[in-house]
Amino acid sequence: MRPTRKLLTLTGSALLLTGSVFLLPTTALAGVTAAVPCTEAALVSAVNAANAAGGGTITLTARCTYTLTSAHGDDGVNGPAGLPVITTPISFSGNANVVARSASAAPFRIAQVSSAGGLTLNAVTLTGGKATTVGHNNGGGVLNFGAVTLTGSALSGNNAVGLGGGIHSSGTAAAATFTSSTVRSNTAGQGAGIASAGATLTLTSSTVTLNAATTQPGGIYSSGTSTLNTTTVTANTPTNCVGSPNPVGGCVG
């Protein structure tokens, strides 16, 4: 006689994997954040939605390069940005992701962070940004008036006619924090890697290298407070940090 199979009603959801049933509470499924599709439009919409919600985390599609073909942010003062101006605390949760300005697009920086905003990058590279607007040509990758935090991320191949090819932080309320991150192969009039004008700069276990400026320093320009912990600043031209208005402790040459 065959055993009787009974179908039980489960309060939650069941996943059938290799013959086994795992129960996930319904509330756990509701908390899963879907990754933003690998398109420019989807990324721009996600930033707009996060701003409208007062901030949040944007999960990126793993290993996706989000290519920006036009500017989507402009505060009417500082020139165009590829992403909408970030006015709230927003985190990009990445996995080998790139946000890049298209080589055929008109010049614009990748991101601008307002004084009330915050941009956190985890495993994300920003590249190809160009800040060329006359009088507002600082910050090729990022123009920061708020808080920028990079972890396992990179600013690479960005350009600013003025200060800060990779990033320009401006004002005493602004802060940029790099951990296990790289600022590489950016160009600018001055401070091609990083420019921190009256702002706070902290680098830990990071690298600033191969950045090139017209006027020294090529690596890090700081007129605020800077702290380097186990960080390498090397092979920048015309100097790494010599010529910075304020000394950059731990930076040689």
Side-chain angles (χ1 to χ4, degrees), residues 67-69 100-107 128 130:
T67 301
L68 304 175
T69 60
R101 172 188 153 273
S102 170
S104 62
K130 286 191 174 185

Side-chain angles (χ1 to χ4, degrees), residues 60-159:
L60 305 178
T61 298
R63 294 173 293 281
C64 163
T65 294
Y66 293 87
T67 301
L68 304 175
T69 60
S70 63
H72 299 276
D74 195 330
D75 65 358
V77 176
N78 292 291
L83 297 174
V85 176
I86 294 171
T87 58
T88 61
I90 296 177
S91 296
F92 283 12
S93 178
N95 182 345
N97 287 106
V98 177
V99 180
R101 172 188 153 273
S102 170
S104 62
F108 54 79
R109 64 178 57 87
I110 302 299
Q112 178 180 328
V113 181
S114 77
S115 58
L119 175 62
T120 297
L121 302 177
N122 293 291
V124 178
T125 295
L126 304 185
T127 186
K130 286 191 174 185
T132 62
T133 301
V134 176
H136 303 283
N137 49 23
N138 298 326
V142 181
L143 179 61
N144 174 42
F145 299 105
V148 170
T149 302
L150 274 71
T151 302
S153 295
L155 302 175
S156 176
N158 301 287
N159 168 261

